[in-house]
Each structure stands twice: as structure tokens, then as C-alpha cells.
Amino acid sequence: MSLRHRPWEQAADFTIGLRPVPAAAWLEGGEADPAARKDALFETSRDLVWAETEGSRPGQREVLGLVEAALGPSPPAPGLPPLYAAARRVPDDLCLMERRGGAWRLTALSLSAGSFFTAAEVVGRSLKELHRPVTGFSERFLTRVNRIFEGLRPELVLERRNWTLTNSAELHVPDPAPIRARIGAIDPSGAARALQLRVERQTLRRLPETGGAVFGIRVWLAPLAELAQDREALAAFARAWRAAPPAFRAYKRLDLYDPLVAAVFAQAGLVDAG
Ligand code: HEM
């Protein structure tokens, strides 16, 4: 299947979930021409997909150096900020995190597949500010996540995955409102094709020269119908859907999809599973 990861099989709640992966696995690839997709947005919707702060260019250049070390030298890209020159070579969105004024802050980002947020909104924010909408993040995770940023060794590449469900097959979804407005028009008999599993594979690694870190976000999308081809895979998803705690469900607005997802489970005969 085209959905490479099934994070709901590991956890049905918010988790830190970071695990080391080989350095060679930092970039997953899997998209023929990310530059074509990203350049169009960079031209037409710049503030949604790109932002940088003063003083971030050395860190940006270091990210470009890491991408070139992995993929080979870049073609000349005159006038492009180095982080964007790096991001247009990979499917992943790339976020530069640097220590500023005692906190880890997002100092530049290329965000062509942002899930309900925009580059202009989040640039400059600290880890705490970035995660304000995530219920319980400060209490449960912030101290540990800050510690992970402090202790990140240069040779280490960390990975985490998350998931949500949506009714848009687009990678670039800065605003949930127009998408959610279309939910009512979905016929339950076609829900498995209309609903999309949206999985993010996120990576984190140190920038040894400037001391920052690069956070990558690779989005994978597939219709629920694809998962439904494999009964055990759909049953595992049904277990996670039913086990997700209220704060997680509320944050992701899973309630909006309950009747449609129930119809998909029922069509697969999974009414009593869980
Ligand atoms: C590496 C450690 C990190 C952890 C453990 C973490 C954890 C989380 C969690 C649990 C969520 C809720 C969605 C989900 O993943 O299930 C979330 C959302 C988010 N995270 Fe992170 N995160 C990390 C790093 C970052 C970084 C470096 C950025 C910088 C771009 C970032 C930006 C965001 C944003 C913008 C959201 C969405 C908030 C919203 O709904 O408006 N995270 N994060």
C-alpha cells in the first residue's frame, strides 16, 4: 500500500514516541518531483509555506549541506533561501529549530504540506508556544522534549509518527474550515474512498556546526479504502479509533468523522470489534 506507516498500531494517544533510525534513513524519498509541487506554492502562497527570521541563514545553509551530503550537490538556485533550496529537493517539509533567548524556537521553515497551520503563524515560536493547541503538551511532554533538543547527538537521527483522519486528499491544507464544511456531503456508502488517513513521519537531527536542529515532516496520505483491503489492518485501525482518549479525539476533531467511520467499519463487518 502507498501508506508506508501505520502509527495507530503503536499508540492510540499522544506520545513522544521518538526512536533512533539509521542516518541513511533520514530522508525517505518516495516523490518524483517535490520541487514542482513546492515551487508552485512558493510562488503563489509564499506566506503560507515559507518564513524565516533574521540570523537563521547559517543554520539554513547547514541544513542544505546535510541534504546535499545525502542526495548529492544541488543545481544552482540563485536567490533562493538555503533552507528552501534544501526543502525543494525532498518530499519533507523542513523546520529549523534554534536556541534563542533561552528557548528552542522555529527560526525558519518550508511548510508545503502544513496540516492546518501556516508558516507565517508559527515562525519564531518556541516549542511551548508551538504546542499550545495540543491538550496536555506542556504538562506531559515539554520538559522531556526540551531535554531531547538539548541532548541530541550529531550522529543521531530520531523519528516519530502521528496520524489523523481527514476528508481532503491534498497535501497542502493550511485551513481546516473549507475541508470540514464538505463533510456533510459525503455519502456513507462512499466514505472509505472519501476519508483519508493522514500520516506524518517526523525526523529530528542536530546541526553540529551551528548547534541548531532540523525537524522534518513527511506527510503520507491514503484513502481509508486502501487500508480496508486488508481486514486485519482495518481491524487494528478500528481498535485505535475506539481506544483514542477524549483529549486526543477532541484535538483531532475525530468526532466529525464518527458516523462515516462507523459506516466503513460496518461495511467491513467490524461492528463488534474493539
Ligand atoms: C521532536 C519532538 C516533538 C514532539 C514529541 C512533538 C509532539 C507533538 C504532538 C503530540 C502533537 C499533536 C499531534 C500529534 O503529533 O499527534 C504536535 C503537534 C504539533 N507540533 Fe510537535 N512535537 C515535536 C516537535 C515539534 C517541532 C520541532 C515543531 C516545529 C515545527 C512542532 C510543531 C508542531 C505543530 C505546529 C503542531 C500542531 C499544533 C496545532 O494543532 O496547531 N513540533 N506535536
Tab-separated table of all heavy atoms in Angstrom, residues 145-195:
chain	number	residue	atom	x	y	z
A	145	VAL	N	10.799	16.992	25.936
A	145	VAL	CA	11.128	17.370	24.554
A	145	VAL	C	12.274	18.386	24.551
A	145	VAL	O	13.215	18.292	23.757
A	145	VAL	CB	9.879	17.902	23.809
A	145	VAL	CG1	10.259	18.485	22.457
A	145	VAL	CG2	8.866	16.779	23.620
A	146	ASN	N	12.232	19.346	25.481
A	146	ASN	CA	13.345	20.307	25.578
A	146	ASN	C	14.659	19.579	25.845
A	146	ASN	O	15.696	19.904	25.269
A	146	ASN	CB	13.084	21.309	26.708
A	146	ASN	CG	12.378	22.550	26.178
A	146	ASN	OD1	12.716	23.071	25.125
A	146	ASN	ND2	11.382	23.004	26.915
A	147	ARG	N	14.594	18.580	26.717
A	147	ARG	CA	15.794	17.816	27.063
A	147	ARG	C	16.324	17.061	25.832
A	147	ARG	O	17.531	16.960	25.629
A	147	ARG	CB	15.454	16.837	28.197
A	147	ARG	CG	16.614	16.601	29.143
A	147	ARG	CD	16.192	15.723	30.321
A	147	ARG	NE	15.403	16.409	31.316
A	147	ARG	CZ	14.403	15.855	32.017
A	147	ARG	NH1	14.047	14.605	31.815
A	147	ARG	NH2	13.766	16.552	32.923
A	148	ILE	N	15.402	16.554	25.030
A	148	ILE	CA	15.813	15.838	23.810
A	148	ILE	C	16.557	16.812	22.870
A	148	ILE	O	17.596	16.474	22.308
A	148	ILE	CB	14.582	15.216	23.112
A	148	ILE	CG1	14.071	14.038	23.937
A	148	ILE	CG2	14.913	14.776	21.686
A	148	ILE	CD1	12.661	13.585	23.608
A	149	PHE	N	16.031	18.014	22.740
A	149	PHE	CA	16.714	19.000	21.884
A	149	PHE	C	18.102	19.341	22.430
A	149	PHE	O	19.047	19.494	21.676
A	149	PHE	CB	15.863	20.269	21.746
A	149	PHE	CG	14.878	20.198	20.622
A	149	PHE	CD1	13.671	19.524	20.780
A	149	PHE	CD2	15.147	20.775	19.393
A	149	PHE	CE1	12.756	19.423	19.731
A	149	PHE	CE2	14.245	20.686	18.337
A	149	PHE	CZ	13.041	20.012	18.513
A	150	GLU	N	18.201	19.468	23.751
A	150	GLU	CA	19.499	19.802	24.368
A	150	GLU	C	20.527	18.693	24.147
A	150	GLU	O	21.691	18.957	23.893
A	150	GLU	CB	19.342	20.017	25.881
A	150	GLU	CG	18.550	21.238	26.288
A	150	GLU	CD	19.184	22.529	25.814
A	150	GLU	OE1	20.419	22.588	25.704
A	150	GLU	OE2	18.423	23.471	25.523
A	151	GLY	N	20.048	17.439	24.265
A	151	GLY	CA	20.993	16.320	24.308
A	151	GLY	C	21.249	15.643	22.969
A	151	GLY	O	22.001	14.675	22.909
A	152	LEU	N	20.639	16.168	21.925
A	152	LEU	CA	20.711	15.497	20.620
A	152	LEU	C	22.155	15.390	20.116
A	152	LEU	O	22.806	16.402	19.888
A	152	LEU	CB	19.883	16.343	19.650
A	152	LEU	CG	19.325	15.753	18.381
A	152	LEU	CD1	18.434	14.557	18.669
A	152	LEU	CD2	18.505	16.864	17.684
A	153	ARG	N	22.613	14.162	19.940
A	153	ARG	CA	23.983	13.981	19.454
A	153	ARG	C	24.016	14.066	17.932
A	153	ARG	O	23.073	13.633	17.260
A	153	ARG	CB	24.531	12.619	19.902
A	153	ARG	CG	24.687	12.476	21.415
A	153	ARG	CD	25.499	11.219	21.758
A	153	ARG	NE	25.021	10.039	21.049
A	153	ARG	CZ	24.028	9.257	21.430
A	153	ARG	NH1	23.365	9.527	22.523
A	153	ARG	NH2	23.668	8.193	20.720
A	154	PRO	N	25.117	14.593	17.371
A	154	PRO	CA	25.159	14.830	15.923
A	154	PRO	C	24.911	13.588	15.073
A	154	PRO	O	24.319	13.680	14.014
A	154	PRO	CB	26.583	15.355	15.683
A	154	PRO	CG	26.999	15.917	16.986
A	154	PRO	CD	26.293	15.127	18.058
A	155	GLU	N	25.347	12.430	15.553
A	155	GLU	CA	25.216	11.240	14.689
A	155	GLU	C	23.823	10.605	14.779
A	155	GLU	O	23.518	9.652	14.063
A	155	GLU	CB	26.304	10.201	15.013
A	155	GLU	CG	26.192	9.546	16.365
A	155	GLU	CD	26.773	10.378	17.502
A	155	GLU	OE1	27.083	11.589	17.318
A	155	GLU	OE2	26.916	9.828	18.601
A	156	LEU	N	22.966	11.154	15.658
A	156	LEU	CA	21.667	10.535	15.904
A	156	LEU	C	20.583	11.108	14.987
A	156	LEU	O	20.484	12.324	14.818
A	156	LEU	CB	21.286	10.819	17.363
A	156	LEU	CG	20.249	9.938	18.021
A	156	LEU	CD1	20.715	8.489	18.069
A	156	LEU	CD2	19.987	10.442	19.445
A	157	VAL	N	19.782	10.234	14.382
A	157	VAL	CA	18.579	10.684	13.669
A	157	VAL	C	17.387	10.043	14.372
A	157	VAL	O	17.338	8.820	14.544
A	157	VAL	CB	18.606	10.273	12.184
A	157	VAL	CG1	17.301	10.684	11.494
A	157	VAL	CG2	19.789	10.894	11.456
A	158	LEU	N	16.451	10.890	14.798
A	158	LEU	CA	15.268	10.388	15.510
A	158	LEU	C	14.041	10.492	14.609
A	158	LEU	O	13.950	11.394	13.765
A	158	LEU	CB	15.034	11.193	16.785
A	158	LEU	CG	16.159	11.150	17.821
A	158	LEU	CD1	15.851	12.084	18.992
A	158	LEU	CD2	16.358	9.720	18.333
A	159	GLU	N	13.115	9.585	14.849
A	159	GLU	CA	11.887	9.561	14.046
A	159	GLU	C	10.678	9.394	14.957
A	159	GLU	O	10.748	8.672	15.947
A	159	GLU	CB	11.966	8.352	13.082
A	159	GLU	CG	10.709	8.123	12.279
A	159	GLU	CD	10.692	6.752	11.584
A	159	GLU	OE1	11.463	6.577	10.623
A	159	GLU	OE2	9.912	5.888	12.017
A	160	ARG	N	9.591	10.088	14.636
A	160	ARG	CA	8.297	9.809	15.274
A	160	ARG	C	7.216	9.892	14.209
A	160	ARG	O	7.422	10.465	13.149
A	160	ARG	CB	8.001	10.736	16.460
A	160	ARG	CG	7.642	12.157	16.096
A	160	ARG	CD	7.374	13.018	17.348
A	160	ARG	NE	6.149	12.670	18.048
A	160	ARG	CZ	4.972	13.244	17.811
A	160	ARG	NH1	4.845	14.180	16.884
A	160	ARG	NH2	3.906	12.905	18.505
A	161	ARG	N	6.082	9.281	14.483
A	161	ARG	CA	4.988	9.319	13.522
A	161	ARG	C	3.710	9.730	14.225
A	161	ARG	O	3.559	9.476	15.408
A	161	ARG	CB	4.773	7.921	12.898
A	161	ARG	CG	5.807	7.513	11.868
A	161	ARG	CD	6.835	6.530	12.364
A	161	ARG	NE	6.306	5.391	13.043
A	161	ARG	CZ	6.169	4.164	12.504
A	161	ARG	NH1	6.544	3.952	11.260
A	161	ARG	NH2	5.699	3.183	13.203
A	162	ASN	N	2.817	10.381	13.511
A	162	ASN	CA	1.487	10.641	14.057
A	162	ASN	C	0.459	10.435	12.962
A	162	ASN	O	0.807	10.183	11.807
A	162	ASN	CB	1.400	12.037	14.683
A	162	ASN	CG	1.336	13.135	13.657
A	162	ASN	OD1	1.086	12.905	12.475
A	162	ASN	ND2	1.573	14.356	14.085
A	163	TRP	N	-0.790	10.525	13.307
A	163	TRP	CA	-1.829	10.311	12.292
A	163	TRP	C	-3.067	11.107	12.625
A	163	TRP	O	-3.301	11.479	13.781
A	163	TRP	CB	-2.213	8.827	12.196
A	163	TRP	CG	-2.894	8.278	13.427
A	163	TRP	CD1	-2.272	7.769	14.537
A	163	TRP	CD2	-4.309	8.207	13.695
A	163	TRP	NE1	-3.208	7.379	15.452
A	163	TRP	CE2	-4.475	7.625	14.966
A	163	TRP	CE3	-5.448	8.562	12.974
A	163	TRP	CZ2	-5.725	7.400	15.540
A	163	TRP	CZ3	-6.699	8.338	13.535
A	163	TRP	CH2	-6.831	7.760	14.814
A	164	THR	N	-3.829	11.358	11.578
A	164	THR	CA	-5.167	11.879	11.766
A	164	THR	C	-6.019	11.406	10.598
A	164	THR	O	-5.527	10.725	9.687
A	164	THR	CB	-5.177	13.413	11.925
A	164	THR	OG1	-6.466	13.803	12.408
A	164	THR	CG2	-4.885	14.134	10.618
A	165	LEU	N	-7.280	11.738	10.638
A	165	LEU	CA	-8.187	11.386	9.549
A	165	LEU	C	-8.779	12.679	9.016
A	165	LEU	O	-9.111	13.579	9.788
A	165	LEU	CB	-9.302	10.481	10.078
A	165	LEU	CG	-10.154	9.841	8.995
A	165	LEU	CD1	-9.483	8.559	8.490
A	165	LEU	CD2	-11.548	9.499	9.522
A	166	THR	N	-8.898	12.760	7.707
A	166	THR	CA	-9.429	13.974	7.094
A	166	THR	C	-10.236	13.586	5.864
A	166	THR	O	-10.248	12.420	5.475
A	166	THR	CB	-8.275	14.942	6.737
A	166	THR	OG1	-8.786	16.019	5.949
A	166	THR	CG2	-7.184	14.263	5.935
A	167	ASN	N	-10.893	14.585	5.268
A	167	ASN	CA	-11.599	14.298	4.021
A	167	ASN	C	-11.006	15.123	2.881
A	167	ASN	O	-11.700	15.515	1.969
A	167	ASN	CB	-13.097	14.583	4.155
A	167	ASN	CG	-13.396	15.973	4.663
A	167	ASN	OD1	-12.874	16.377	5.696
A	167	ASN	ND2	-14.208	16.716	3.966
A	168	SER	N	-9.693	15.393	2.963
A	168	SER	CA	-9.008	16.070	1.865
A	168	SER	C	-7.846	15.205	1.396
A	168	SER	O	-7.075	14.707	2.210
A	168	SER	CB	-8.465	17.425	2.324
A	168	SER	OG	-7.591	17.923	1.342
A	169	ALA	N	-7.724	15.063	0.086
A	169	ALA	CA	-6.595	14.307	-0.475
A	169	ALA	C	-5.450	15.237	-0.855
A	169	ALA	O	-4.515	14.830	-1.547
A	169	ALA	CB	-7.068	13.521	-1.689
A	170	GLU	N	-5.509	16.497	-0.390
A	170	GLU	CA	-4.449	17.468	-0.689
A	170	GLU	C	-3.368	17.412	0.382
A	170	GLU	O	-3.664	17.259	1.566
A	170	GLU	CB	-5.021	18.894	-0.679
A	170	GLU	CG	-6.093	19.158	-1.709
A	170	GLU	CD	-5.541	19.126	-3.113
A	170	GLU	OE1	-4.446	19.663	-3.322
A	170	GLU	OE2	-6.190	18.520	-3.989
A	171	LEU	N	-2.117	17.613	-0.030
A	171	LEU	CA	-1.041	17.716	0.966
A	171	LEU	C	-1.046	19.087	1.642
A	171	LEU	O	-0.761	19.217	2.831
A	171	LEU	CB	0.318	17.500	0.284
A	171	LEU	CG	0.663	16.060	-0.099
A	171	LEU	CD1	1.965	16.020	-0.895
A	171	LEU	CD2	0.782	15.185	1.139
A	172	HIS	N	-1.357	20.123	0.872
A	172	HIS	CA	-1.304	21.498	1.385
A	172	HIS	C	-2.688	21.881	1.915
A	172	HIS	O	-3.596	22.183	1.144
A	172	HIS	CB	-0.895	22.420	0.222
A	172	HIS	CG	-0.924	23.877	0.559
A	172	HIS	ND1	-0.096	24.443	1.495
A	172	HIS	CD2	-1.682	24.893	0.070
A	172	HIS	CE1	-0.347	25.751	1.565
A	172	HIS	NE2	-1.288	26.045	0.716
A	173	VAL	N	-2.837	21.798	3.240
A	173	VAL	CA	-4.135	22.110	3.848
A	173	VAL	C	-3.945	23.110	4.992
A	173	VAL	O	-4.012	22.754	6.166
A	173	VAL	CB	-4.880	20.839	4.333
A	173	VAL	CG1	-5.455	20.075	3.149
A	173	VAL	CG2	-3.974	19.910	5.131
A	174	PRO	N	-3.703	24.371	4.649
A	174	PRO	CA	-3.436	25.352	5.703
A	174	PRO	C	-4.630	25.602	6.612
A	174	PRO	O	-4.453	25.973	7.765
A	174	PRO	CB	-3.079	26.626	4.909
A	174	PRO	CG	-3.626	26.423	3.529
A	174	PRO	CD	-3.609	24.946	3.291
A	175	ASP	N	-5.853	25.399	6.097
A	175	ASP	CA	-7.050	25.799	6.840
A	175	ASP	C	-8.052	24.643	6.856
A	175	ASP	O	-8.489	24.185	5.800
A	175	ASP	CB	-7.644	27.030	6.126
A	175	ASP	CG	-8.920	27.532	6.789
A	175	ASP	OD1	-9.300	26.984	7.853
A	175	ASP	OD2	-9.526	28.463	6.233
A	176	PRO	N	-8.459	24.195	8.045
A	176	PRO	CA	-9.406	23.070	8.086
A	176	PRO	C	-10.831	23.456	7.702
A	176	PRO	O	-11.625	22.589	7.320
A	176	PRO	CB	-9.356	22.625	9.551
A	176	PRO	CG	-8.894	23.822	10.319
A	176	PRO	CD	-8.024	24.613	9.392
A	177	ALA	N	-11.187	24.751	7.792
A	177	ALA	CA	-12.608	25.133	7.660
A	177	ALA	C	-13.247	24.674	6.341
A	177	ALA	O	-14.308	24.034	6.367
A	177	ALA	CB	-12.767	26.641	7.860
A	178	PRO	N	-12.649	24.979	5.168
A	178	PRO	CA	-13.326	24.565	3.926
A	178	PRO	C	-13.401	23.051	3.774
A	178	PRO	O	-14.315	22.528	3.121
A	178	PRO	CB	-12.452	25.178	2.813
A	178	PRO	CG	-11.166	25.547	3.453
A	178	PRO	CD	-11.423	25.745	4.919
A	179	ILE	N	-12.479	22.343	4.391
A	179	ILE	CA	-12.481	20.876	4.297
A	179	ILE	C	-13.624	20.325	5.152
A	179	ILE	O	-14.426	19.509	4.700
A	179	ILE	CB	-11.117	20.321	4.762
A	179	ILE	CG1	-10.020	20.825	3.805
A	179	ILE	CG2	-11.130	18.804	4.833
A	179	ILE	CD1	-8.625	20.561	4.295
A	180	ARG	N	-13.691	20.824	6.380
A	180	ARG	CA	-14.742	20.318	7.280
A	180	ARG	C	-16.134	20.690	6.784
A	180	ARG	O	-17.096	19.948	7.030
A	180	ARG	CB	-14.487	20.854	8.695
A	180	ARG	CG	-13.243	20.201	9.299
A	180	ARG	CD	-12.840	20.749	10.642
A	180	ARG	NE	-11.673	20.044	11.148
A	180	ARG	CZ	-10.847	20.519	12.078
A	180	ARG	NH1	-11.065	21.709	12.619
A	180	ARG	NH2	-9.812	19.811	12.481
A	181	ALA	N	-16.225	21.795	6.063
A	181	ALA	CA	-17.542	22.203	5.537
A	181	ALA	C	-18.076	21.197	4.521
A	181	ALA	O	-19.271	21.195	4.235
A	181	ALA	CB	-17.438	23.588	4.895
A	182	ARG	N	-17.214	20.367	3.996
A	182	ARG	CA	-17.656	19.398	2.969
A	182	ARG	C	-18.041	18.033	3.555
A	182	ARG	O	-18.491	17.162	2.827
A	182	ARG	CB	-16.538	19.180	1.936
A	182	ARG	CG	-16.138	20.433	1.159
A	182	ARG	CD	-15.369	20.070	-0.110
A	182	ARG	NE	-14.139	19.334	0.142
A	182	ARG	CZ	-12.933	19.888	0.278
A	182	ARG	NH1	-12.795	21.206	0.176
A	182	ARG	NH2	-11.870	19.151	0.503
A	183	ILE	N	-17.859	17.850	4.860
A	183	ILE	CA	-18.082	16.515	5.447
A	183	ILE	C	-19.529	16.068	5.272
A	183	ILE	O	-19.805	14.915	4.938
A	183	ILE	CB	-17.695	16.496	6.950
A	183	ILE	CG1	-16.191	16.755	7.101
A	183	ILE	CG2	-18.055	15.149	7.587
A	183	ILE	CD1	-15.725	16.884	8.544
A	184	GLY	N	-20.464	17.005	5.457
A	184	GLY	CA	-21.890	16.672	5.396
A	184	GLY	C	-22.316	16.104	4.051
A	184	GLY	O	-23.323	15.407	3.957
A	185	ALA	N	-21.551	16.413	3.008
A	185	ALA	CA	-21.932	15.963	1.655
A	185	ALA	C	-21.415	14.557	1.345
A	185	ALA	O	-21.695	14.025	0.268
A	185	ALA	CB	-21.399	16.958	0.627
A	186	ILE	N	-20.671	13.968	2.269
A	186	ILE	CA	-20.107	12.640	1.974
A	186	ILE	C	-21.156	11.561	2.234
A	186	ILE	O	-21.730	11.481	3.321
A	186	ILE	CB	-18.859	12.373	2.855
A	186	ILE	CG1	-17.786	13.427	2.576
A	186	ILE	CG2	-18.304	10.962	2.605
A	186	ILE	CD1	-16.603	13.379	3.526
A	187	ASP	N	-21.386	10.740	1.216
A	187	ASP	CA	-22.340	9.635	1.363
A	187	ASP	C	-21.648	8.487	2.116
A	187	ASP	O	-20.543	8.097	1.747
A	187	ASP	CB	-22.763	9.169	-0.042
A	187	ASP	CG	-23.933	8.216	0.047
A	187	ASP	OD1	-23.764	7.104	0.615
A	187	ASP	OD2	-25.005	8.591	-0.440
A	188	PRO	N	-22.271	7.960	3.163
A	188	PRO	CA	-21.618	6.886	3.929
A	188	PRO	C	-21.172	5.709	3.056
A	188	PRO	O	-20.153	5.081	3.338
A	188	PRO	CB	-22.695	6.448	4.927
A	188	PRO	CG	-23.585	7.644	5.081
A	188	PRO	CD	-23.559	8.366	3.768
A	189	SER	N	-21.890	5.451	1.972
A	189	SER	CA	-21.507	4.305	1.127
A	189	SER	C	-20.172	4.557	0.421
A	189	SER	O	-19.484	3.624	0.019
A	189	SER	CB	-22.595	4.008	0.104
A	189	SER	OG	-22.665	5.089	-0.804
A	190	GLY	N	-19.791	5.828	0.282
A	190	GLY	CA	-18.516	6.152	-0.375
A	190	GLY	C	-17.464	6.640	0.606
A	190	GLY	O	-16.414	7.157	0.206
A	191	ALA	N	-17.742	6.480	1.913
A	191	ALA	CA	-16.853	7.075	2.927
A	191	ALA	C	-15.428	6.517	2.863
A	191	ALA	O	-14.457	7.248	3.067
A	191	ALA	CB	-17.444	6.858	4.318
A	192	ALA	N	-15.292	5.226	2.563
A	192	ALA	CA	-13.945	4.631	2.577
A	192	ALA	C	-13.047	5.284	1.524
A	192	ALA	O	-11.835	5.352	1.695
A	192	ALA	CB	-14.028	3.124	2.340
A	193	ARG	N	-13.658	5.772	0.454
A	193	ARG	CA	-12.853	6.443	-0.574
A	193	ARG	C	-12.689	7.931	-0.267
A	193	ARG	O	-11.685	8.532	-0.595
A	193	ARG	CB	-13.477	6.259	-1.955
A	193	ARG	CG	-13.246	4.863	-2.542
A	193	ARG	CD	-13.804	4.748	-3.957
A	193	ARG	NE	-15.210	5.140	-4.047
A	193	ARG	CZ	-16.230	4.358	-3.647
A	193	ARG	NH1	-15.983	3.169	-3.160
A	193	ARG	NH2	-17.475	4.791	-3.753
A	194	ALA	N	-13.672	8.533	0.382
A	194	ALA	CA	-13.614	9.976	0.647
A	194	ALA	C	-12.706	10.306	1.841
A	194	ALA	O	-12.074	11.366	1.875
A	194	ALA	CB	-15.015	10.507	0.917
A	195	LEU	N	-12.636	9.406	2.806
A	195	LEU	CA	-11.839	9.692	4.005
A	195	LEU	C	-10.382	9.304	3.761
A	195	LEU	O	-10.086	8.259	3.188
A	195	LEU	CB	-12.391	8.934	5.212
A	195	LEU	CG	-13.833	9.289	5.595
A	195	LEU	CD1	-14.256	8.527	6.841
A	195	LEU	CD2	-13.987	10.791	5.816
